[in-house]
Amino acid sequence: MMPDLGKYAVAVLSSYGVTLALLAGLVGLTLLRGARVRRQLDAVEQRRGEKQRGDNGQT
């Protein structure tokens, strides 16, 4: 049920729309950044593992 907003209906509803769009954008960017950082961390951990395996026989 929507309240009667009178002459402010356009301003209020557009503000809600912009707010929802910005929140959705922030969530999307956060998820993308998290995936990118996870890939980078996996790559660093893989390189570190390879380096440790290669150094086992050396002093």
Side-chain angles (χ1 to χ4, degrees):
M1 190 162 273
M2 189 162 139
D4 181 27
L5 300 173
K7 65 180 181 176
Y8 301 108
V10 173
V12 171
L13 294 177
S14 62
S15 295
Y16 279 130
V18 168
T19 300
L20 289 175
L22 288 172
L23 286 172
L26 286 172
V27 168
L29 288 173
T30 300
L31 292 174
L32 289 173
R33 183 174 184 212
R36 179 174 46 105
V37 169
R38 181 171 287 126
R39 284 192 307 272
Q40 291 173 341
L41 180 59
D42 288 342
V44 168
E45 288 176 343
Q46 183 178 7
R47 280 183 292 184
R48 183 178 173 128
E50 291 171 357
K51 185 177 181 183
Q52 287 177 350
R53 283 192 299 269
D55 289 344
N56 283 344
Q58 300 175 353
T59 311

